Amino acid sequence: MQPFYQGQLDVFCALYAVLNALQLTHGLGMGQARRIFTETLEDIARDASLLHVTLHNETDYAWLVEQVLTRYGLCLDAPFPMTATRPFSSPTTPTPRLLWGTLCGWLAGGPRRTAVFRFHRYLPFRGDPLIRHWSTVRELENDTLVLHDSSHEPNAVFSIHRDGFGTTRESMSDGRLLLIEAPTVWLLEGR
């Protein structure tokens, strides 16, 4: 199953992450994904200030992930019913080990499970992240999360090793160049 790919010029990786999650949990097809994509853009366009921050990449898109998950998976008459939890929505940031254990335990619990989250990719010895990106987990393979990612770029992140990420700037190092934003983690399961 090929993920839906994000265009090189758009800033909708969060929306693609949700579409790819729905593909994994419900077998979402291309036509259904197009419809959700279009309806979501129409919703955003109704609010000029929201459209501005979206098109200019001046947001973290967490609201967009929640909006699309709610509309298409979590509301009473959702076309793709699912359960969803945000295990790290409190202000306390988990350790990388706790986040990893949570993801592994969730993914091991059934076939229609996935996770969606935002990460930052850093370069060694640099202050700001090179990339801010939303992605979807396809599977756990040994000590690696294999991503079902929207990026089509050859140097994109397609997997995350257990020891290859942090959850705070202080936990980053030359060997840990990815920071997973724990509050953005959504654990999803198709019903």
Side-chain angles (χ1 to χ4, degrees):
M1 179 181 310
Q2 290 293 317
F4 299 115
Y5 289 118
Q6 180 182 0
Q8 288 182 313
L9 302 178
D10 68 63
V11 291
F12 292 106
C13 60
L15 180 51
Y16 278 91
V18 174
L19 295 173
N20 285 330
L22 289 171
Q23 185 183 54
L24 293 172
T25 60
H26 291 83
L28 186 74
M30 181 66 75
Q32 296 166 311
R34 246 187 222 117
R35 181 179 56 80
I36 293 171
F37 192 90
T38 300
E39 290 172 358
T40 302
L41 294 182
E42 289 172 343
D43 290 345
I44 293 169
R46 288 185 186 96
D47 181 332
S49 61
L50 192 57
L51 181 62
H52 176 85
V53 298
T54 302
L55 294 179
H56 292 276
N57 202 17
E58 296 171 353
T59 178
D60 62 8
Y61 301 93
W63 57 270
L64 180 61
V65 170
E66 184 167 6
Q67 176 182 316
V68 176
L69 285 174
T70 300
R71 180 174 179 182
Y72 296 99
L74 300 175
C75 68
L76 281 178
D77 58 347
F80 306 101
M82 65 174 52
T83 58
T85 60
R86 291 181 57 216
F88 305 111
S89 56
S90 73
T92 305
T93 303
T95 63
R97 183 178 179 158
L98 177 59
L99 190 142
W100 181 262
T102 301
L103 288 171
C104 290
W106 177 255
L107 295 168
R112 295 177 65 187
R113 288 186 172 196
T114 188
V116 171
F117 54 81
R118 183 176 188 228
F119 65 82
H120 301 262
R121 181 177 174 190
Y122 289 86
L123 291 175
F125 312 114
R126 300 284 165 101
D128 292 328
L130 173 68
I131 301 289
R132 291 177 173 93
H133 185 63
W134 284 85
S135 193
T136 305
V137 178
R138 183 176 71 225
E139 63 185 331
L140 175 65
E141 196 174 272
N142 299 320
D143 289 338
T144 303
L145 294 173
V146 179
L147 303 179
H148 194 63
D149 198 77
S150 65
S151 180
H152 208 43
E153 300 296 318
N155 61 348
V157 175
F158 295 107
S159 63
I160 300 175
H161 188 269
R162 178 186 65 201
D163 298 324
F165 73 95
T167 54
T168 63
R169 291 289 301 256
E170 296 75 33
S171 64
M172 304 300 294
S173 66
D174 286 345
R176 289 184 168 184
L177 298 176
L178 296 177
L179 186 148
I180 295 177
E181 288 184 329
T184 69
V185 173
W186 284 85
L187 304 177
L188 308 172
E189 181 175 26
R191 290 189 278 153

